[in-house]
């Protein structure tokens, strides 16, 4: 390459994006950590204390919300795997010429705004809505049946909203499997179950892993589904952070909660990566 | 493989008949896939349907008859129209900026070895996997610390920020798959760096760039969480809908959603058709 200019080229190319991410991603994160160690309020100003009090206070006050967020996140992620895997499997191995059509249909919800999707899902679950209303009027459902404002509604909304994020990586992993490897398993007298459990499933795990990263993090930090579908009894940690920022202007507490949320999720992901034996987290998710 | 002499006609006909018993065995999973798709599309269908609902009250969840009124009065709510315009212009601007910046970042990461590449990759991974609420909250923390007024500009800054990583990763994937010999050949033929980029590299990575741009547009126009934290008094389409969930979402929202959906699907189908034809 052309001397100095050639050696400088990658730096010049990475510079604008790198600076943008540094200024609006890394610096804010550092500032948030700093803010989380301060005390004070909006009117009297904030003071740096370097004490962990905001963390201990926040976690002891909202510990149950944290637990609920992780629990809902886990349930929704497992639901996504269970729902997505069979469909991804069928499309990858039996989709034939219609493969891309099926994938397109699975992605159709993404042409509608996330909020609007959630509002429409609420309409599905509303007691007197177009789905449950007639079902109850005709006696299919008991009179006191309702889903809205329950944890079930929140988890179903989360699974609904993030399902395609699980389908796609699993599909990509399954699609990459060389059919000859599967045929080899049959040639070696593997039953269908054995071929699936010992060949296809292990080869598709990186896809499941990428899917888990792409769903678990957004799902357990989401607050829109809890707000729209769950009512006041089923709020998650995201709702708390939002309220602390916007209604209470308790910036230090909110910062501490946000950073704690990120830390918990990251520790979870890396622990998960280790137990699964996926060596390079970057590879699995950055794909 | 077959002994037939007219391959375009016969293979299409014979295999299904021969494979018939096997097909029946897998139809369970096929049916399941169709049901899953129906489940995903059910709320969309309801959204479209309730854009035609002849509702009299503020609540729009009981079917009261068919009307085209909301299509005729689409722009009656001026603040909703303004929010949609905000969403569209922010998405276009942020797509433009992100695509340029992200493409160069993706090129650098895909083609060169350089000091700091590993940490750049790590930052990209963090930016992709960081919870949205943390990004929004930290940006809000920064704007509060520096006393920056939040509004249109801060939304734009934030949208470019969270899209860069996706564009860079998409372009990088395309660059990695390229044969470096083609560029070297261009260089041997006397092409300068700019000519080489414009006439050789860019056309080759174009599918990746376009995919990244599309992703950036979709991410921007759909974003709620980060926008909510960085918007101040400026309202975008998702923010407007969210605000309306407490008082009742008017049917105009369904109509807007339906129109955006239709346009999006149309663009996707047309571009898919085109790329399929180009491949042939």
């Amino acid at each position: 390459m052309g001397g100095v200019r050639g050696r400088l080229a990658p730096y010049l190319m990475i510079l604008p994006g790198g600076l943008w991410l540094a200024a609006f991603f890394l610096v804010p994160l550092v500032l948030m950590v700093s803010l989380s160690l301060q005390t004070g309020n909006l009117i009297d100003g904030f003071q740096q204390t370097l004490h962990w009090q905001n963390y201990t206070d926040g976690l002891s006050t909202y510990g149950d919300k944290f637990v609920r967020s992780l629990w809902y996140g886990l349930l929704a992620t497992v639901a996504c795997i269970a729902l997505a895997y069979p469909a991804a499997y069928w499309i990858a191995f039996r989709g034939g010429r219609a493969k891309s059509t099926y994938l397109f249909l699975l992605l159709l919800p993404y042409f509608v705004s996330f909020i609007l999707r959630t509002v429409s899902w609420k309409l599905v679950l509303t007691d007197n809505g177009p789905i449950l209303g007639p079902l109850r009027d005709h006696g299919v459902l008991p009179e006191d049946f309702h889903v809205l404002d329950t944890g079930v509604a929140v988890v179903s909304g989360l699974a609904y909203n993030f399902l395609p994020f699980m389908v796609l990586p699993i599909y990509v992993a399954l699609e990459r499997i060389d059919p000859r490897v599967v045929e080899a398993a049959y040639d070696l007298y593997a039953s269908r179950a054995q071929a699936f459990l010992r060949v296809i499933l292990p080869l598709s795990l990186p896809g499941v892993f990428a899917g888990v990263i792409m769903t678990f993090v957004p799902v357990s930090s989401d607050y829109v589904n809890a707000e729209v579908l769950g009512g006041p009894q089923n709020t998650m940690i995201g709702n708390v952070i939002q309220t602390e920022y916007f209604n209470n202007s308790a910036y230090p507490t909110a910062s501490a909660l946000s950073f704690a949320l990120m830390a918990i999720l990251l520790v979870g992901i890396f622990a998960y990566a280790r137990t699964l034996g996926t060596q390079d987290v970057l590879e699995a998710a950055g794909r | 493989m077959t002994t037939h002499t007219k391959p375009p006609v016969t293979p299409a006909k014979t295999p299904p008949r021969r494979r018939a018993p096997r097909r029946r065995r897998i139809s369970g999973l096929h049916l399941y896939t169709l049901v899953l798709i129906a489940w995903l599309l059910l709320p969309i269908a309801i959204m479209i349907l309730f854009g035609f609902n002849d509702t009299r009250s503020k609540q729009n969840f009981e079917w009261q008859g068919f009307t085209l009124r909301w299509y005729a009065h689409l722009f009656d709510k001026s603040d909703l129209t303004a929010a949609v315009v905000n969403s569209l212009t922010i998405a276009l601007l942020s797509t433009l900026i992100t695509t340029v910046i992200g493409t160069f970042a993706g090129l650098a990461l895909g083609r060169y070895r350089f000091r700091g590449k590993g940490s750049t990759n790590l930052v990209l991974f963090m930016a992709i996997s960081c919870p949205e609420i943390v990004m929004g909250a930290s940006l809000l923390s920064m704007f509060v610390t520096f006393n920056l007024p939040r509004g249109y500009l801060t939304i734009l800054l934030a949208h470019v920020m969270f899209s860069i990583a996706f564009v860079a990763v998409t372009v990088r994937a395309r660059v990695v798959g390229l044969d470096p010999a083609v560029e070297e050949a261009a260089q041997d033929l006397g092409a300068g760096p700019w000519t080489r980029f414009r006439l050789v590299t860019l056309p080759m990575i174009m599918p990746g760039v376009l995919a990244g741009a599309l992703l950036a547009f979709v991410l921007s126009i759909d974003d709620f969480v980060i926008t909510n934290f960085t918007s101040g008094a400026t309202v975008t389409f998702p923010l407007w809908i969210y605000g309306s969930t407490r008082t009742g979402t008017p049917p105009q929202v369904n109509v807007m959603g339906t129109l955006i959906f239709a346009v999006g699907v149309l663009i996707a189908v047309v571009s898919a058709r085109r790329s399929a034809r180009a491949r042939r």
Side-chain angles (χ1 to χ4, degrees):
Chain A
M1 293 279 167
V4 180
R5 217 176 144 182
R7 255 179 284 133
L8 274 181
Y11 295 104
L12 291 175
M13 289 162 96
I14 207 83
L15 198 65
L19 282 182
W20 205 294
L21 280 172
F24 301 108
F25 178 60
L26 294 178
V27 170
L29 278 183
V30 173
L31 280 172
M32 192 179 74
V33 175
S34 149
L35 193 58
S36 73
L37 299 172
Q38 298 179 0
T39 54
N41 55 57
L42 211 53
I43 299 147
D44 304 327
F46 298 104
Q47 255 185 329
Q48 186 58 261
T49 60
L50 293 179
H51 287 157
W52 295 95
Q53 206 189 342
N54 290 320
Y55 287 87
T56 49
D57 286 359
L59 285 176
S60 59
T61 315
Y62 301 112
D64 56 331
K65 302 287 197 308
F66 260 110
V67 173
R68 183 185 290 140
S69 295
L70 297 175
W71 175 234
Y72 281 2
L74 188 73
L75 285 177
T77 306
V78 170
C80 278
I81 298 176
L83 289 170
Y85 202 103
Y89 179 92
W90 186 83
I91 297 172
F93 288 114
R94 309 265 184 254
R97 290 183 54 177
K99 267 181 192 176
S100 47
T101 309
Y102 280 102
L103 286 177
F104 179 66
L105 288 172
L106 283 168
L107 287 178
L108 270 185
Y110 282 88
F111 289 92
V112 173
S113 160
F114 169 63
I115 301 286
L116 200 43
R117 240 157 40 214
T118 313
V119 171
S120 296
W121 184 243
K122 179 183 181 172
L123 215 55
V124 174
L125 299 181
T126 304
D127 291 352
N128 301 315
I131 308 289
L132 293 189
L135 282 178
R136 197 180 13 200
D137 292 346
H138 292 93
V140 181
L141 294 171
E143 201 58 40
D144 56 349
F145 180 88
H146 61 96
V147 210
L148 208 63
D149 290 350
T150 65
V152 178
V154 181
V155 173
S156 73
L158 290 169
Y160 170 71
N161 271 314
F162 292 93
L163 184 77
F165 283 130
M166 186 63 86
V167 175
L168 276 188
I170 295 180
Y171 166 80
V172 170
L174 287 169
E175 165 82 336
R176 272 189 196 165
I177 296 175
D178 189 339
R180 286 173 298 184
V181 178
V182 185
E183 276 164 31
Y186 290 129
D187 289 346
L188 294 168
Y189 300 107
S191 66
R192 281 174 67 89
Q194 281 171 326
F196 176 74
L197 286 175
R198 299 183 63 173
V199 178
I200 297 174
L201 187 63
L203 285 174
S204 68
L205 278 186
V208 177
F209 176 70
V212 168
I213 288 190
M214 286 171 76
T215 51
F216 183 66
V217 173
V219 154
S220 45
S221 54
D222 179 81
Y223 62 91
V224 174
N225 281 279
E227 167 104 30
V228 175
L229 305 166
Q233 281 87 43
N234 300 289
T235 51
M236 294 161 72
I237 194 63
N239 304 79
V240 176
I241 294 174
Q242 196 226 16
T243 314
E244 291 289 310
Y245 265 113
F246 290 107
N247 300 9
N248 308 341
S249 293
Y251 295 115
T253 312
S255 301
L257 290 174
S258 308
F259 192 66
L261 173 68
M262 189 174 84
I264 291 173
L265 289 178
L266 282 185
V267 167
I269 283 173
F270 278 94
Y272 176 66
R274 287 199 62 149
T275 49
L276 203 75
T278 308
Q279 284 157 351
D280 198 351
V281 185
L282 275 171
E283 276 300 302
R287 199 185 290 141
Chain B
M1 294 284 172
T2 47
T3 50
H4 299 290
T5 44
K6 280 183 282 177
V9 188
T10 35
K13 269 186 174 174
T14 41
R17 221 186 296 141
R18 232 190 298 147
R19 270 202 229 126
R22 214 166 135 213
R23 277 236 163 152
R24 210 168 296 139
R25 200 163 20 152
I26 58 161
S27 66
L29 274 182
H30 191 179
L31 187 71
Y32 169 82
T33 307
L34 293 173
V35 170
L36 192 77
I37 288 170
W39 176 61
L40 284 171
L41 295 186
L42 175 68
I44 313 286
I46 287 181
M47 173 195 78
I48 297 173
L49 183 70
F50 276 72
F52 295 107
N53 187 16
D54 193 8
T55 178
R56 301 280 158 192
S57 69
K58 266 187 139 183
Q59 301 297 330
N60 184 24
F61 61 82
E62 253 172 291
W63 184 247
Q64 284 164 321
F66 180 88
T67 180
L68 286 170
R69 190 152 40 110
W70 310 116
Y71 281 79
H73 296 270
L74 180 56
F75 300 114
D76 273 11
K77 296 190 179 286
S78 56
D79 50 339
L80 172 62
T81 311
V84 173
V85 171
N86 278 343
S87 272
L88 285 173
T89 56
I90 289 174
L92 283 173
L93 282 172
S94 105
T95 302
L96 211 67
I97 302 171
T98 310
T99 307
V100 175
I101 295 178
T103 298
F104 280 115
L107 264 174
L109 290 167
R111 167 137 19 102
Y112 300 95
R113 288 167 169 273
F114 57 95
R115 206 185 286 240
K117 187 173 171 176
S119 37
T120 311
N121 275 325
L122 186 68
V123 172
L124 289 185
F125 171 68
M126 275 174 70
I128 288 176
S129 59
C130 179
E132 273 196 281
I133 192 166
V134 174
M135 281 190 182
S138 64
L139 278 168
L140 179 61
S141 302
M142 181 168 87
F143 297 146
V144 167
T145 311
F146 292 149
N147 250 327
L148 277 173
R150 281 169 284 142
Y152 194 92
L153 183 68
T154 47
I155 300 178
L156 187 61
L157 291 172
H159 282 207
V160 173
M161 183 273 288
F162 67 67
S163 317
I164 285 179
F166 287 96
V167 176
V169 167
T170 313
V171 173
R172 183 182 64 188
R174 180 83 194 174
V175 173
V176 167
L178 290 183
D179 184 356
V182 181
E183 286 198 334
E184 281 159 25
Q187 200 177 359
D188 291 346
L189 291 169
W194 176 241
T195 319
R196 211 158 67 223
F197 173 75
R198 200 166 47 90
L199 294 179
V200 180
T201 316
L202 191 60
M204 287 199 297
I205 61 169
M206 210 51 193
V209 174
L210 287 180
L214 197 68
L215 198 58
F217 187 84
V218 171
L219 286 172
S220 169
I221 204 163
D222 193 29
D223 181 73
F224 170 75
V225 175
I226 295 174
T227 313
N228 195 21
F229 278 92
T230 53
S231 63
T234 307
V235 178
T236 62
F237 186 47
L239 292 191
W240 200 95
I241 303 171
Y242 184 70
S244 77
T245 53
R246 283 148 215 242
T247 50
T249 309
Q252 275 99 338
V253 164
N254 293 45
V255 176
M256 290 273 190
T258 306
L259 292 178
I260 293 174
F261 177 72
V263 171
V265 171
L266 197 72
I267 292 174
V269 169
V270 167
S271 65
R273 279 267 167 85
R274 238 203 223 164
S275 65
R277 215 179 305 140
R279 236 178 282 138
R280 246 179 262 147

